[in-house]
């Protein structure tokens, strides 16, 4: 069963010189989660932010759920650091962890929700034996590394497949999609079965966050 829709603006497209204000503004504008993209210039060809930035958002009084998307390898040490820094959801790519089952358990043991992320070219096999340890399945609809890329349409077929897997399992697992989501395509993504939507440029590259988020929500 699909869960209530969630919009998670990705701060990758925010103005980093004003990060605290950007995050408060987007929450005020209706964001449900804050999507926090961690890139290590190793697993992906870009470099962003780490646990210290997460901690300072918490210190600045940000209470919204922080959804950490680890595009980094290895994963396990970062999990502890982000849980400690105030993350609520921690997602990683199965090929970035040597022991996927252990990493999922580690995330949940730290009272965070555990997410598993699939790149456009990655098959869903990693889901085969670990479904009961997963809270979020994240389907990438661009290759990870950069904001502002174009949605890869074959993601829709994959989303439908994951929706079926989740429904057959009878578990409360969120189906999140990340990359190239905008107000023109969000309905087809929701219709394919997604309930959790990351949007970077579609929110932060506008000058009215409230309008941007409400236009996305209106379509789903
Ligand atoms: C891509 C990141 C995404 C990205 C989304 O590697 O994981 O979260 O920031 O940005 P848009 O919505 O602009 O594609
Ligand atoms: Zn992301």
């Amino acid at each position: 069963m699909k869960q209530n829709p969630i919009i998670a603006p990705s701060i990758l497209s925010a103005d980093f010189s004003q990060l605290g204000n950007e995050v408060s503004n987007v929450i005020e504008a209706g964001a449900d989660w804050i999507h926090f993209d961690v890139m290590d210039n190793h697993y992906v060809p870009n470099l962003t932010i780490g646990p210290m930035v997460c901690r300072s958002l918490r210190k600045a009084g940000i209470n919204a759920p922080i959804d950490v998307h680890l595009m980094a390898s290895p994963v396990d040490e970062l999990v502890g650091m982000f849980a400690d820094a105030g993350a609520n959801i921690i997602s990683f790519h199965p090929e970035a962890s040597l022991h996927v089952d252990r990493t999922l358990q580690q995330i949940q043991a730290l009272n965070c929700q555990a997410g598993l992320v699939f790149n456009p070219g990655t098959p869903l096999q990693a889901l085969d034996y670990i479904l009961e340890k997963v809270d979020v399945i994240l389907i990438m609809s661009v290759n990870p590394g950069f904001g502002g890329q174009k949605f890869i349409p074959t993601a829709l077929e994959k989303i439908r497949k994951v929706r079926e897997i989740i429904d057959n399992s009878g578990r409360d697992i969120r189906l999140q999609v990340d990359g190239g989501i905008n107000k023109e395509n969000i309905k087809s993504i929701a219709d394919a079965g997604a309930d959790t939507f990351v949007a970077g440029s579609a929110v932060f590259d506008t000058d009215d966050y409230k309008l941007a988020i409400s236009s996305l929500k209106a379509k789903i």
Side-chain angles (χ1 to χ4, degrees):
M1 273 270 291
K2 267 215 262 193
Q3 303 194 32
N4 62 313
I6 278 187
I7 302 284
S10 160
I11 56 174
L12 187 62
S13 294
D15 175 354
F16 278 101
S17 75
Q18 307 289 329
L19 190 59
N21 291 334
E22 288 273 73
V23 171
S24 319
N25 291 342
V26 94
I27 292 166
E28 184 127 326
D32 303 291
W33 291 359
I34 296 301
H35 187 78
F36 193 107
D37 284 311
V38 180
M39 305 185 185
D40 67 350
N41 186 37
H42 167 73
Y43 178 73
V44 288
N46 200 356
L47 185 64
T48 60
I49 43 178
M52 288 193 307
V53 176
C54 183
R55 187 186 305 279
S56 54
L57 289 175
R58 286 292 183 230
K59 272 201 180 142
I62 300 296
N63 293 319
I66 295 182
D67 168 34
V68 172
H69 175 191
L70 293 177
M71 287 162 276
S73 179
V75 175
D76 291 357
E77 207 166 332
L78 289 172
V79 165
M81 290 194 247
F82 272 104
D84 196 48
N88 301 93
I89 302 104
I90 301 178
S91 300
F92 65 99
H93 294 246
E95 64 277 17
S97 170
L98 280 177
H99 306 286
V100 171
D101 181 285
R102 179 187 288 153
T103 305
L104 291 168
Q105 291 190 55
Q106 188 195 348
I107 295 171
Q108 292 183 333
L110 293 166
N111 293 320
C112 293
Q113 291 186 50
L116 209 50
V117 194
F118 294 86
N119 286 331
T122 308
L124 295 169
Q125 253 145 9
L127 288 177
D128 279 357
Y129 303 103
I130 47 77
L131 263 195
E132 75 276 15
K133 289 169 187 150
V134 122
D135 301 294
V136 178
I137 298 170
L138 169 49
I139 298 301
M140 292 304 297
S141 39
V142 298
N143 286 293
F146 303 94
Q149 302 181 79
K150 212 170 157 299
F151 184 88
I152 298 174
T154 50
L156 290 174
E157 189 192 322
K158 209 172 188 181
I159 295 162
R160 279 184 218 110
K161 221 170 256 172
V162 175
R163 170 49 54 204
E164 216 177 288
I165 293 172
I166 293 174
D167 288 351
N168 288 340
S169 79
R171 311 190 76 88
D172 284 340
I173 299 172
R174 282 200 166 273
L175 204 179
Q176 185 176 35
V177 180
D178 183 5
I181 296 182
N182 55 44
K183 58 182 189 322
E184 277 72 47
N185 61 18
I186 193 166
K187 182 171 170 15
S188 59
I189 300 164
D191 288 348
D195 51 31
T196 308
F197 307 86
V198 176
S201 46
V203 173
F204 283 106
D205 288 1
T206 72
D207 40 41
D208 188 339
Y209 298 166
K210 201 167 191 166
L211 180 65
I213 292 172
S214 60
S215 331
L216 291 170
K217 285 193 172 170
K219 299 271 165 70
I220 48 184

